[in-house]
Amino acid sequence: MTVVTNKGVILKAIPEEIPNVDEHFELTHRTIDIKNLNLGENEIFLRNLYLSLDPYIRFTLKKPDLDHIKVDTPIANKVPVGQVISGLGVSEVVKTNNPNYKIGDLVYGPIGWEEYSHIKSDVAPTFSPVNKELLNDIPLNYHASFLRMGGLTSYASLMAIGKPKEGETIYISAAAGSTGQLVGQIAKIKGLKVIGSTGSDEKVDFLLNELKFDAAFNYKKVDLDKTLSEYCPNGIDIYYENVGGETLEIVLNHCNQFARIVVCGMISQYNITNPKKKYGVKTLENIFLKSISMQGFLVMEYLGTDIQKEFEKDIVEWIKSDKIFYKENMIDGIENTAKGFVDIFNGKNNGKTIVKLADY
Amino acid sequence: MTVVTNKGVILKAIPEEIPNVDEHFELTHRTIDIKNLNLGENEIFLRNLYLSLDPYIRFTLKKPDLDHIKVDTPIANKVPVGQVISGLGVSEVVKTNNPNYKIGDLVYGPIGWEEYSHIKSDVAPTFSPVNKELLNDIPLNYHASFLRMGGLTSYASLMAIGKPKEGETIYISAAAGSTGQLVGQIAKIKGLKVIGSTGSDEKVDFLLNELKFDAAFNYKKVDLDKTLSEYCPNGIDIYYENVGGETLEIVLNHCNQFARIVVCGMISQYNITNPKKKYGVKTLENIFLKSISMQGFLVMEYLGTDIQKEFEKDIVEWIKSDKIFYKENMIDGIENTAKGFVDIFNGKNNGKTIVKLADY
């Protein structure tokens, strides 16, 4: 296997609203002669195994529109039309000119939506090894998100911004999604009352019966204001925000004094590119009236901190002791990657979307 | 002077929008025989000297509308129609049955909008003495707000939430108002670039020439988006929020990564009692995109903390060394109190509104 076909997904056109598989993405085939491939100093060549599909990627598909602002975040790195889209994933090193990696190593880092990735010397330092010893207890696919950025996102933001206290009430929107499901389980472990909403009855069952949430409901079928009054009679202490818009507007009215709003995402607004058509939230006065804090974050902020160390210790222990699990929506193959991504915005995913690119 | 007429202002009707002097307030006259007045245990009887008029009082004049939420804040204490309105101020003890106070002491605490206040035993512990030694350097009127809750509000919220760093840019709305003017001066002392907006050219002059802001503008005369681009070319690191609504919507687009928004007030929204008519803010996605934190606070949170101690030390030093001052809009007499209060919402105040109730 020295000459391979590397299938990948490129950005065909910039989506104005919800991306469409045929219109905005294109599958490409490139032939690579691995044996004769020249690697520059510190470069590595990877066979990609599992790719994590995350909502933030939507922001890398837009035109830069924040030119007058200092923004130093990965979501500001736009993918040019015609180039392979990026994501985080787990790969096997198949060729290396980097002293930190040998052939056969498993690594985690920013790869392309493609079967093989040639990692340049400036990006190579952002990769880190996968601890193979953990594979006895924890499957490799969990290393693409659950044990890494995905899990850390939920854990660190809940702990650092949400500051959960036993007996408090947390409400989680998009609770069956990649961050929501973990946040809910961690909050249960910490002794909170956990309420979640999601977009299908099947997912409500999942939250109630598999994740053991205290209450869950299908937001499409209820009056949110009344439902929150019913399920959160003592008000909301933490709102884990994934959706934005009208949901946020209603939740603010149910927040308690000193409530914390962890802004992980506002998925209802991402695909509205006309700023005038975004939802206008009318209840922000609550922030003043009830001394609420509302905070966005970058998971990168927590890398190298005590919170990351606590996360790594807790998460492995919780998985081994069956206290926590991670529902994955496993997509098969690069050919289905674009569809898997688009489905996130249509609410068709159930759990964290991961693409299996190759057997290991 | 044992029999006195105690003039006071009662709530005549609950205002739906901006309060109106004749419609919502009424001056009352009650006769009190001080000599024969019986004080219960720990009660004190005060002659009020200076009264602070603050925007939060607007919230005490509303119908309770947050019944389903746990709210434990002074702004949730509604004034019943027919009763005297409350505020913070400085008074002289003229009769006492409380071992902590003797006749002639000066005290600071929650008094009525009236010339004399009879303080019950449950409220007496919230009073504290005025240090008479400071009166050589600092006038008594400053003790009604500047050295107390008013000053602490600006100082503590800027320090604890704004976390100012030398070289950063702060934008302050309602910058000539009671909190804004102090926040701007403190930010200058801390080495920030300070931009303020206000509602008249006279106040712009005040910000530029007396407070030495780096830039100031009359928001009624400019396009806020363009003006912020011009005055804050490196973006906004701290937004000190006093007005809410469309201003907040525009500012969010100018915020930098990790910007902090200190929510001190949203005065543009207070008098809109129909929730559907409040301004809908469409740019909250910035909180997620730029990891912004936005936080309300209660000044009471900071009482007894290190921040309060630092405030008391810094503020006295800054006043004595002329590094800072407090523009007061001094109202004369209880008869003009309601008008002074209403003027805050019409933007007619310039500086912090204080009522002088009696000579000392």
Side-chain angles (χ1 to χ4, degrees):
Chain A
M1 194 188 68
T2 66
V3 177
V4 295
T5 299
N6 184 16
K7 284 180 279 183
V9 179
I10 62 168
L11 180 63
K12 186 173 163 189
I14 293 169
E16 292 292 322
E17 299 190 358
I18 294 186
N20 177 295
V21 173
D22 295 331
E23 199 177 335
H24 304 113
F25 304 96
E26 187 173 348
L27 199 66
T28 58
H29 300 70
R30 286 182 301 140
T31 300
I32 301 180
D33 181 348
I34 298 178
K35 195 174 171 190
N36 294 309
L37 178 71
N38 283 320
L39 289 184
E41 198 179 354
N42 290 321
E43 293 184 353
I44 48 178
F45 188 77
L46 306 176
R47 183 170 74 99
N48 299 327
L49 303 172
Y50 290 100
L51 171 69
S52 172
L53 294 183
D54 299 284
Y56 82 83
I57 294 171
R58 177 66 182 85
F59 290 98
T60 69
L61 310 182
K62 282 188 179 168
K63 294 186 184 110
D65 55 355
L66 300 167
D67 285 347
H68 61 298
I69 320 268
K70 288 184 296 185
V71 179
D72 179 23
T73 133
I75 59 183
N77 292 328
K78 308 298 173 190
V79 177
V81 168
Q83 290 209 8
V84 173
I85 296 161
S86 285
L88 291 160
V90 168
S91 310
E92 183 184 17
V93 176
V94 292
K95 193 163 188 172
T96 170
N97 192 15
N98 184 315
N100 295 323
Y101 295 106
K102 60 181 194 302
I103 290 173
D105 279 355
L106 294 174
V107 295
Y108 168 83
I111 58 177
W113 286 16
E114 59 193 352
E115 294 177 311
Y116 295 86
S117 290
H118 182 158
I119 306 301
K120 304 289 181 178
S121 59
D122 57 333
V123 179
T126 65
F127 279 78
S128 58
V130 169
N131 179 354
K132 286 189 179 179
E133 282 177 24
L134 285 177
L135 296 180
N136 296 324
D137 296 303
I138 300 174
L140 184 58
N141 43 302
Y142 274 12
H143 291 257
S145 178
F146 190 15
L147 265 70
R148 296 287 187 150
M149 289 298 200
L152 181 62
T153 296
S154 299
Y155 183 97
S157 60
L158 178 63
M159 294 304 188
I161 302 173
K163 300 185 181 76
K165 292 180 208 64
E166 194 176 338
E168 287 190 328
T169 298
I170 184 171
Y171 168 57
I172 305 164
S173 56
S178 51
T179 55
Q181 55 166 316
L182 270 187
V183 167
Q185 292 178 83
I186 298 168
K188 284 299 298 177
I189 291 170
K190 297 288 171 188
L192 280 78
K193 180 176 175 185
V194 178
I195 318 296
S197 60
T198 183
S200 79
D201 293 349
E202 183 199 346
K203 291 182 191 176
V204 170
D205 283 347
F206 166 67
L207 295 177
L208 289 174
N209 299 321
E210 294 192 63
L211 301 190
K212 310 294 181 194
F213 276 30
D214 295 287
F217 57 91
N218 181 342
Y219 74 89
K220 294 176 181 170
K221 291 191 169 174
V222 303
D223 176 316
L224 182 62
D225 187 43
K226 284 183 190 153
T227 305
L228 290 178
S229 292
E230 182 184 341
Y231 289 142
C232 310
N234 296 319
I236 293 169
D237 300 297
I238 304 174
Y239 171 43
Y240 201 90
E241 161 72 303
N242 283 308
V243 306
E246 192 180 6
T247 302
L248 175 59
E249 179 170 277
I250 294 168
V251 170
L252 278 162
N253 285 335
H254 288 266
C255 280
N256 288 329
Q257 180 76 11
F258 301 123
R260 288 82 65 196
I261 300 180
V262 187
V263 182
C264 179
M266 292 192 176
I267 201 165
S268 71
Q269 305 298 299
Y270 295 175
N271 291 299
I272 306 169
T273 48
N274 180 343
K276 292 188 178 162
K277 290 193 177 166
K278 304 238 180 207
Y279 191 89
V281 174
K282 295 183 176 177
T283 56
L284 293 175
E285 225 175 331
N286 283 290
I287 293 176
F288 160 72
L289 286 169
K290 296 187 284 194
S291 311
I292 294 169
S293 68
M294 184 168 173
Q295 191 170 338
F297 64 96
L298 280 182
V299 62
M300 284 73 81
E301 292 176 62
Y302 303 110
L303 295 178
T305 67
D306 285 347
I307 282 188
Q308 188 190 13
K309 286 174 207 143
E310 287 157 21
F311 161 70
E312 288 173 355
K313 190 175 71 62
D314 283 345
I315 204 80
V316 168
E317 184 192 309
W318 290 339
I319 296 172
K320 287 185 180 177
S321 60
D322 279 333
K323 279 193 180 163
I324 201 165
F325 89 114
Y326 198 52
K327 172 126 177 169
E328 291 181 335
N329 173 37
M330 190 65 72
I331 306 290
D332 192 31
I334 192 71
E335 294 83 355
N336 296 309
T337 301
K339 180 172 183 310
F341 180 67
V342 171
D343 280 352
I344 293 174
F345 299 98
N346 291 320
K348 288 185 185 162
N349 60 317
N350 188 356
K352 168 65 191 152
T353 302
I354 300 285
V355 183
K356 182 180 177 181
L357 293 168
D359 285 320
Y360 175 70
Chain B
M1 193 187 69
T2 67
V3 176
V4 295
T5 299
N6 184 17
K7 283 179 280 184
V9 179
I10 63 169
L11 180 64
K12 185 173 163 189
I14 292 169
E16 293 292 323
E17 298 187 1
I18 294 185
N20 178 294
V21 173
D22 294 330
E23 199 177 336
H24 304 113
F25 303 97
E26 187 172 347
L27 198 66
T28 59
H29 299 69
R30 285 182 302 140
T31 301
I32 302 180
D33 181 349
I34 299 177
K35 193 174 173 190
N36 294 311
L37 177 72
N38 283 320
L39 289 183
E41 197 179 354
N42 290 319
E43 293 184 353
I44 47 179
F45 188 77
L46 306 176
R47 183 170 76 99
N48 299 327
L49 304 172
Y50 290 101
L51 171 68
S52 172
L53 295 183
D54 300 285
Y56 82 83
I57 294 170
R58 177 66 182 84
F59 291 98
T60 70
L61 309 183
K62 281 189 178 168
K63 293 187 185 111
D65 55 356
L66 301 167
D67 285 346
H68 61 301
I69 320 269
K70 288 185 296 184
V71 179
D72 178 23
T73 132
I75 59 182
N77 293 328
K78 308 297 173 191
V79 177
V81 169
Q83 290 210 9
V84 173
I85 296 161
S86 285
L88 291 160
V90 168
S91 311
E92 182 183 20
V93 176
V94 293
K95 192 163 186 172
T96 171
N97 192 15
N98 183 314
N100 296 322
Y101 296 105
K102 60 181 194 301
I103 290 173
D105 279 356
L106 295 174
V107 295
Y108 168 82
I111 59 177
W113 285 16
E114 58 192 354
E115 294 177 312
Y116 295 86
S117 290
H118 181 159
I119 305 301
K120 303 290 181 176
S121 58
D122 56 334
V123 178
T126 64
F127 278 78
S128 57
V130 169
N131 179 355
K132 286 189 179 179
E133 282 177 25
L134 286 177
L135 296 180
N136 295 325
D137 296 304
I138 300 173
L140 184 58
N141 42 303
Y142 274 12
H143 291 257
S145 178
F146 190 15
L147 267 71
R148 296 287 187 149
M149 288 299 199
L152 182 62
T153 296
S154 299
Y155 183 96
S157 60
L158 178 63
M159 294 304 188
I161 302 173
K163 299 185 181 75
K165 292 178 208 65
E166 195 176 340
E168 287 190 328
T169 298
I170 184 171
Y171 167 57
I172 305 164
S173 56
S178 51
T179 56
Q181 55 166 316
L182 269 188
V183 167
Q185 292 178 83
I186 298 168
K188 283 301 296 177
I189 291 171
K190 296 288 172 187
L192 280 79
K193 180 175 174 183
V194 178
I195 318 297
S197 60
T198 183
S200 79
D201 293 349
E202 184 198 345
K203 292 182 192 176
V204 170
D205 282 346
F206 165 67
L207 295 177
L208 288 174
N209 300 321
E210 295 192 63
L211 301 190
K212 310 295 182 194
F213 277 29
D214 295 286
F217 57 90
N218 181 343
Y219 74 88
K220 293 175 181 169
K221 291 191 170 175
V222 303
D223 175 315
L224 181 61
D225 187 43
K226 283 183 191 152
T227 306
L228 290 178
S229 293
E230 182 184 342
Y231 289 141
C232 310
N234 296 319
I236 292 169
D237 300 299
I238 304 175
Y239 171 43
Y240 200 90
E241 161 71 302
N242 283 308
V243 307
E246 192 180 6
T247 302
L248 174 59
E249 180 170 276
I250 294 167
V251 170
L252 278 163
N253 285 335
H254 289 265
C255 280
N256 287 329
Q257 180 77 13
F258 300 123
R260 288 82 66 197
I261 300 180
V262 187
V263 182
C264 179
M266 292 192 177
I267 202 166
S268 72
Q269 305 299 299
Y270 295 175
N271 291 301
I272 306 169
T273 46
N274 180 344
K276 292 188 178 162
K277 291 194 177 165
K278 304 239 180 207
Y279 190 89
V281 174
K282 295 183 176 177
T283 56
L284 293 175
E285 225 175 332
N286 283 290
I287 294 176
F288 160 72
L289 286 169
K290 295 186 284 193
S291 311
I292 293 169
S293 69
M294 183 170 173
Q295 191 170 338
F297 64 95
L298 280 181
V299 63
M300 283 73 80
E301 291 176 63
Y302 303 109
L303 295 178
T305 66
D306 285 348
I307 282 188
Q308 188 189 13
K309 285 174 207 142
E310 287 157 21
F311 161 70
E312 288 172 354
K313 188 174 74 61
D314 282 345
I315 204 81
V316 168
E317 183 192 309
W318 290 339
I319 296 172
K320 286 184 180 177
S321 60
D322 279 333
K323 280 193 180 164
I324 200 164
F325 89 114
Y326 198 52
K327 171 125 178 169
E328 290 182 334
N329 173 37
M330 190 65 73
I331 306 290
D332 191 31
I334 192 71
E335 293 83 354
N336 296 308
T337 301
K339 180 172 184 309
F341 180 68
V342 170
D343 280 351
I344 293 174
F345 299 98
N346 293 320
K348 289 185 186 163
N349 58 318
N350 189 356
K352 168 65 193 155
T353 301
I354 300 284
V355 183
K356 182 181 177 181
L357 292 169
D359 285 320
Y360 175 69

